[in-house]
C-alpha cells in the first residue's frame, strides 16, 4: 500500500539552495539529514524523527512553519528513493567535524512538486486541524486521510513554481517606494535573504475578536498572502515606530501598489462595521485620511 507522510519543517532552517542544486544535477539526490552531536548544519531541524519508519517509494508532504508571510502551509511533495543500502543497513554519513547523521535519499528531477492553492488558509495550521484533523507537531502518516490527499493531488505544480515564489521573498515591497535605502538584510540558514511579514491589518484585530463566527471570517482575510507583506527589517520597524508622516506615506504606497490589499482591507472594514480611516487610525495610532 502506498504510504504518505506529513513532515513539519521550519522554513528558516530549510536549505533551499541544496534542494535547488539537487534538481539541476541528475546524478545527485536530495537528502533529509539528521545529525547526532552539538554542531548542526542540517537541511531540517526536526527532533525525534526516526527514519526507520520510512521505506522506498513513500511519499512525504512537507509543511513549512515560520514562513516570512506567517502562513504555515504544505508546499512540497517528495518521494523516498532510498533509506537502506544493499545489505539492509540504514544510510549514515560522517561529516568533516566527525559527527554522524542518518539520512534518506529523496526523489530528484521531475518528482518534486509544489503544493499550491489560491486560498493560503486552506493548508494553514488552523485549517489542517479543523478540516483534516491534523494535529501533529513533527510527523504523521496521512495514508488514510483521503480528503487531504485528494485536495493535495489537485494542487500540484512543478518545483520551479515554488522557486519563483521564493525569489519574490527576497525583495522588500518598499524597494520601489524608497530606492535610496538599500533594504539591507542577512542570509538565513535556508540560503534565502531574511524578510519579515507585516500584517497590514494587524493580527490583534483577529485575536481580540470575541465573536467566534466573525473571528473565523476575519482569519481568512488577515492571515492570507495579500495582507501579509514581505519587507526588510528596517521598513518593518519604521511602519510600526516611525514618524507619523512617514507611516502614512508607507500605508498609501501599500494600498496603491499591493494588488488586492485595498479590497481585502475594505472587506475587513465591512465585517467590523468601520471605515478604512477608523481602522488604520486604531491600528497604527496616527491621524490617517484616505485620499
Amino acid at each position: 500500500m502506498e504510504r504518505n507522510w506529513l513532515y513539519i519543517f521550519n522554513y528558516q532552517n530549510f536549505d533551499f539552495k541544496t534542494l535547488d542544486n539537487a534538481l539541476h544535477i541528475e546524478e545527485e539526490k536530495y537528502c533529509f539529514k539528521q545529525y547526532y552531536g552539538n554542531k548542526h548544519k542540517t537541511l531540517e531541524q526536526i527532533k525525534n524523527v526516526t527514519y526507520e519508519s520510512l521505506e522506498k517509494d513513500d511519499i512525504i508532504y512537507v509543511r513549512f512553519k515560520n514562513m516570512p508571510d506567517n502562513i504555515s502551509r504544505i508546499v512540497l511533495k517528495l518521494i523516498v528513493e532510498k533509506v537502506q543500502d544493499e545489505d539492509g543497513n540504514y544510510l549514515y554519513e560522517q561529516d568533516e567535524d566527525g559527527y554522524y547523521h542518518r539520512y534518506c535519499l529523496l526523489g530528484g528531477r521531475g518528482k518534486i512538486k509544489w503544493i499550491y492553492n489560491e486560498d493560503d488558509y486552506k493548508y494553514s495550521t488552523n485549517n489542517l486541524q479543523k478540516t483534516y484533523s491534523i494535529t501533529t507537531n513533527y510527523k504523521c502518516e496521512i495514508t488514510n486521510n483521503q480528503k487531504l490527499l485528494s485536495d493535495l493531488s489537485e494542487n500540484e505544480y512543478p518545483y520551479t513554481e515554488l522557486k519563483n515564489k521564493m525569489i519574490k521573498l527576497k525583495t522588500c515591497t518598499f524597494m520601489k517606494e524608497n530606492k535610496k535605502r538599500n533594504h539591507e538584510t542577512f542570509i538565513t540558514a535556508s540560503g534565502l535573504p531574511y524578510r519579515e511579514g507585516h500584517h497590514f491589518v494587524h493580527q490583534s484585530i483577529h485575536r481580540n475578536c470575541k465573536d467566534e463566527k466573525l473571528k473565523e471570517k476575519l482569519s481568512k482575510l488577515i492571515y492570507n498572502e495579500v495582507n501579509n507583506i514581505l519587507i526588510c527589517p528596517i521598513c518593518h520597524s519604521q511602519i510600526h515606530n516611525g514618524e507619523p508622516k512617514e507611516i502614512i506615506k508607507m500605508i498609501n504606497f501599500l494600498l496603491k501598489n499591493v494588488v488586492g490589499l485595498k479590497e481585502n482591507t475594505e472587506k475587513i472594514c465591512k465585517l467590523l462595521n468601520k471605515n478604512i480611516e477608523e481602522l488604520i487610525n486604531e491600528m497604527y495610532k496616527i491621524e490617517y485620511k484616505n485620499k
Side-chain angles (χ1 to χ4, degrees), residues 59-226:
I59 295 175
I60 296 176
Y61 292 94
V62 175
R63 181 171 75 80
F64 286 140
K65 63 180 181 179
N66 296 332
M67 294 281 283
D69 56 7
N70 295 313
I71 302 294
S72 297
R73 53 183 174 269
I74 300 172
V75 293
L76 284 178
K77 177 183 179 181
L78 308 165
I79 300 176
V80 177
E81 294 269 318
K82 191 175 184 180
V83 181
Q84 299 169 298
D85 62 20
E86 291 73 14
D87 298 323
N89 300 312
Y90 289 100
L91 304 178
Y92 285 90
E93 185 176 288
Q94 186 175 16
D95 65 18
E96 58 186 14
D97 296 315
Y99 293 100
Y100 286 90
H101 57 88
R102 184 186 297 129
Y103 65 93
C104 68
L105 297 174
L106 299 172
R109 190 184 307 231
K111 290 189 176 181
I112 296 180
K113 301 288 187 179
W114 170 39
I115 308 301
Y116 175 71
N117 190 277
E118 292 290 347
D119 178 10
D120 285 335
Y121 176 76
K122 184 168 186 177
Y123 299 129
S124 66
T125 305
N126 291 338
N127 201 49
L128 277 177
Q129 181 174 352
K130 179 180 177 181
T131 304
Y132 305 104
S133 301
I134 299 296
T135 58
T136 181
N137 289 323
Y138 297 109
K139 181 191 74 170
C140 69
E141 187 171 359
I142 57 173
T143 301
N144 295 320
N145 197 320
Q146 295 302 318
K147 177 172 175 54
L148 177 57
L149 291 173
S150 175
D151 288 351
L152 290 172
S153 66
E154 293 176 358
N155 294 282
E156 291 183 15
Y157 289 79
Y159 171 75
T160 50
E161 295 284 346
L162 172 65
K163 181 183 176 184
N164 292 337
K165 189 177 182 69
M166 293 305 167
I167 289 174
K168 293 181 181 179
L169 302 184
K170 299 179 180 182
T171 304
C172 177
T173 303
F174 287 111
M175 189 75 78
K176 293 180 181 179
E177 186 268 343
N178 189 346
K179 294 183 179 179
K180 293 181 180 179
R181 178 182 294 161
N182 62 13
H183 302 271
E184 186 177 355
T185 184
F186 58 90
I187 302 300
T188 68
S190 69
L192 296 175
Y194 176 74
R195 297 295 182 213
E196 295 179 348
H198 170 66
H199 288 78
F200 184 80
V201 176
H202 297 172
Q203 298 175 81
S204 59
I205 300 298
H206 173 258
R207 287 197 301 263
N208 297 334
C209 180
K210 304 301 182 183
D211 186 321
E212 289 302 320
K213 290 185 178 179
L214 175 59
K215 192 170 186 177
E216 183 175 349
K217 292 178 180 178
L218 287 172
S219 67
K220 294 183 179 182
L221 295 170
I222 292 176
Y223 298 105
N224 63 29
E225 190 174 38
V226 174

Side-chain angles (χ1 to χ4, degrees), residues 15 18 31-49 51 91-103:
D15 193 338
T18 299
C31 301
F32 281 157
K33 296 185 180 181
Q34 182 180 19
Y35 279 70
Y36 298 89
N38 295 323
K39 295 184 179 180
H40 296 274
K41 187 179 180 182
T42 64
L43 303 185
E44 42 88 0
Q45 296 282 354
I46 298 177
K47 305 300 181 183
N48 304 319
V49 172
Y51 292 114
L91 304 178
Y92 285 90
E93 185 176 288
Q94 186 175 16
D95 65 18
E96 58 186 14
D97 296 315
Y99 293 100
Y100 286 90
H101 57 88
R102 184 186 297 129
Y103 65 93

